[in-house]
Amino acid sequence: MKNKIFALVDCNNFFVSCERVFDPKLRKKPVVVLSNNDGCAVARSNEAKALGVEMGSPYFKWQHLAQKHGIKVFSSNYVLYGDMSHRVMRTLDNISPRMESYSIDEAFLEIDGFDDNERLNEYGRFVRDTVQRDTGMPVSVGIAPTKTLAKIANHIVKRDPQLKGMINLCGGDIDDYLKDIDVASIWGIGPKRAEILKRNGYSTALDLKNAPDRWVKKKLTVCELRTVWELRGISCIPLEDVYGRKQSIVVSRSFGEEIGSYDGLCQAISTYVSKAAEKLRSQMSQVQYLQIFINSNRFNKERYYSNSAGIRLDPPTSDTSTMLRWADLLLKHIYNDAFSYKRAGVMLSDFVDASHFQYDNTVDANLHSKRECLMANIDLYNKKNNFGKIRFAQEGTGNKIHSKQTLRSARFTTKWDELLTIK
């Protein structure tokens, strides 16, 4: 039986690459994508990085660089980015029968049936070229015996242009690479764990690979021990189901304008609850814990207010109207009319499988079935209709909750009136 082999496919500078697909003039030019409300840099082309634009830095701090060097700046276009991510994942799903969509721009592939490294190299190049051809997105491919090593392989590819977007760590001397990888860069090792490791003399991935199991068990956790074994080429982290359920759902935004009324804040919270509930139903889950949180402007340190409240739902639910009712009560509990609010959000957690959960005799089965059918029909309509969606009255019709997107590009792939125009 052949050992499993993993490939991590990662889109290069994903948000920037999405913009370049529809505007080829941006290639080899400095490009930056901003966060909500056009605040900070969340994606940078290599050219922008070379000019000194730092990740997470506020736009106003490097705006002079943008003007001096002609940096093209975009607002976040999440509709476009989400659709491009779907296209990349669909392409990878067609390439490999075993795929895990790890994030919006990353996916693991499980590879079987390759007898030698040259065939693996050909496969890696095939994946890279196919995604580029079918979606226009440049990707890096790292191949290795474990998922952790595949992550490291991808990290190596991005640092070395001479590798041309693909590296295969199977069958070679991996230690030559691990000795140059900072322990803090290893997948699964957080900043606090990295500090502990470095204080004890484990500064690189190679150091951690050679750490005694007994010491790792004593000082760290079982998860970190698995990471050590993965560095040794022993696969401990299996490929998850591509449709694996999330363990929590968070929907949160900063507002384009501060909200100073309860009704306005309630509308924002209600909109986020509705979005979270739709995501919950899409993965066939029901929620047992609902939490909301609100914040005033964090830059006004003299008058800052932040609070949150949560409630356990019994029985669990995926019904938007039920969650809206509880969210309204929670907001009344924490709302302070002495402040205006800049941000709010909702978090759903502690999920159960909707298809297997058994209700007791206090639940009206007929009514519950009707509510499930109603939610399913609303979701279906909203998914198919691009010109207007069914909303709950509690969500309101205001636009203050929308983020500022003064530099947003067109939503080329999802809006008929924003299709790319060829001149």
Side-chain angles (χ1 to χ4, degrees):
M1 180 178 177
K2 295 182 177 67
N3 293 328
K4 292 180 179 178
I5 299 172
F6 297 91
L8 178 65
V9 184
D10 188 4
C11 299
N12 301 335
N13 302 323
F14 180 62
F15 291 174
V16 169
S17 294
C18 288
E19 300 292 349
R20 285 175 165 172
V21 167
F22 298 95
D23 188 353
K25 293 180 181 179
L26 298 175
R27 295 173 185 171
K28 298 184 179 181
K29 302 290 184 181
V31 181
V32 177
V33 177
L34 301 174
S35 61
N36 290 327
N37 293 311
D38 297 343
C40 305
V42 295
R44 306 157 297 156
S45 67
N46 292 334
E47 296 79 8
K49 295 175 186 177
L51 292 172
V53 180
E54 297 181 358
M55 187 67 167
S57 57
Y59 182 27
F60 69 86
K61 286 190 175 182
W62 49 270
Q63 193 167 10
H64 66 285
L65 288 177
Q67 295 170 350
K68 180 180 179 180
H69 298 286
I71 299 175
K72 186 65 175 178
V73 182
F74 290 93
S75 303
S76 294
N77 189 345
Y78 295 119
V79 174
L80 175 65
Y81 306 155
D83 187 65
M84 290 301 293
S85 173
H86 176 71
R87 294 178 182 215
V88 171
M89 298 306 163
R90 185 173 57 194
T91 300
L92 293 174
D93 196 28
N94 290 333
I95 293 174
S96 173
R98 293 280 292 152
M99 184 198 78
E100 174 191 341
S101 180
Y102 180 67
S103 69
I104 190 172
D105 61 348
E106 291 179 283
F108 285 103
L109 307 181
E110 190 175 295
I111 307 170
D112 294 322
F114 290 89
D115 300 322
D116 55 68
N117 274 330
E118 185 51 40
R119 288 193 63 202
L120 273 176
N121 293 336
E122 291 177 3
Y123 180 81
R125 291 190 288 267
F126 169 75
V127 171
R128 178 199 63 193
D129 296 343
T130 301
V131 175
Q132 174 85 55
R133 182 197 67 207
D134 291 359
T135 69
M137 298 294 292
V139 298
S140 298
V141 181
I143 299 175
T146 70
K147 291 173 74 175
T148 301
L149 287 174
K151 270 278 193 179
I152 289 176
N154 205 282
H155 179 71
I156 294 168
V157 169
K158 289 180 177 295
R159 293 195 307 179
D160 189 351
Q162 293 184 353
L163 294 173
K164 297 181 180 180
M166 200 286 295
I167 189 173
N168 172 19
L169 296 186
C170 295
D173 189 358
I174 298 177
D175 289 357
D176 283 344
Y177 295 105
L178 297 186
K179 64 182 175 61
D180 296 324
I181 302 296
D182 190 289
V183 72
S185 301
I186 301 173
W187 185 46
I189 302 295
K192 292 184 179 179
R193 300 299 187 192
E195 289 179 11
I196 295 173
L197 289 166
K198 289 182 178 181
R199 284 201 303 265
N200 286 273
Y202 301 102
S203 300
T204 68
L206 181 59
D207 294 334
L208 184 58
K209 172 186 175 181
N210 295 325
D213 287 358
R214 181 177 297 179
W215 184 89
V216 176
K217 289 179 183 178
K218 182 179 180 180
K219 296 292 185 180
L220 304 177
T221 68
V222 174
C223 291
E224 278 86 30
L225 181 59
R226 292 196 190 102
T227 297
V228 172
W229 289 345
E230 288 248 323
L231 290 174
R232 296 171 184 165
I234 304 170
S235 181
C236 304
I237 306 174
L239 202 71
E240 295 183 5
D241 187 347
V242 64
Y243 301 111
R245 292 182 172 88
K246 295 181 179 179
Q247 300 304 307
S248 64
I249 294 173
V250 178
V251 178
S252 174
R253 292 287 186 276
S254 294
F255 308 135
E257 303 174 22
E258 292 188 12
I259 296 178
S261 67
Y262 177 85
D263 288 343
L265 194 59
C266 183
Q267 288 178 10
I269 289 287
S270 299
T271 298
Y272 302 155
V273 168
S274 183
K275 290 181 179 179
E278 186 175 350
K279 292 181 179 181
L280 182 74
R281 291 189 294 270
S282 70
Q283 66 174 36
M284 298 295 293
S285 294
Q286 294 186 330
V287 61
Q288 295 185 109
Y289 191 78
L290 166 67
Q291 182 181 31
I292 66 166
F293 51 92
I294 55 176
N295 303 91
S296 64
N297 192 332
R298 63 187 177 91
F299 294 107
N300 188 349
K301 297 181 179 179
E302 294 181 358
R303 279 184 51 79
Y304 179 70
Y305 177 75
S306 174
N307 208 342
S308 64
I311 189 170
R312 179 158 291 279
L313 304 177
D314 186 18
T317 185
S318 61
D319 190 323
T320 300
S321 59
T322 300
M323 284 182 264
L324 288 175
R325 184 168 64 252
W326 286 114
D328 185 31
L329 293 174
L330 292 173
L331 182 59
K332 288 176 180 176
H333 181 67
I334 62 175
Y335 179 74
N336 187 332
D337 61 7
F339 296 86
S340 293
Y341 295 90
K342 186 63 176 176
R343 187 178 183 87
V346 57
M347 182 175 75
L348 308 182
S349 59
D350 196 3
F351 298 159
V352 296
D353 190 330
S355 62
H356 295 120
F357 189 81
Q358 297 293 319
Y359 293 93
D360 59 32
N361 56 11
T362 63
V363 176
D364 186 332
N366 186 45
L367 178 60
H368 175 74
S369 178
K370 289 182 179 179
R371 297 298 303 180
E372 279 191 331
C373 184
L374 174 62
M375 292 297 106
N377 284 326
I378 290 176
D379 291 344
L380 181 62
Y381 177 86
N382 288 343
K383 185 177 182 179
K384 290 184 175 181
N385 196 325
N386 290 323
F387 302 100
K389 294 189 174 184
I390 297 175
R391 298 162 59 89
F392 286 78
Q394 192 169 313
E395 297 178 54
T397 58
N399 61 3
K400 287 188 176 182
I401 67 170
H402 297 310
S403 299
K404 293 179 181 177
Q405 294 179 310
T406 57
L407 303 171
R408 179 180 62 77
S409 57
R411 293 161 291 188
F412 300 104
T413 62
T414 56
K415 297 291 183 181
W416 285 107
D417 55 347
E418 296 182 27
L419 289 175
L420 183 65
T421 301
I422 305 298
K423 296 182 181 180

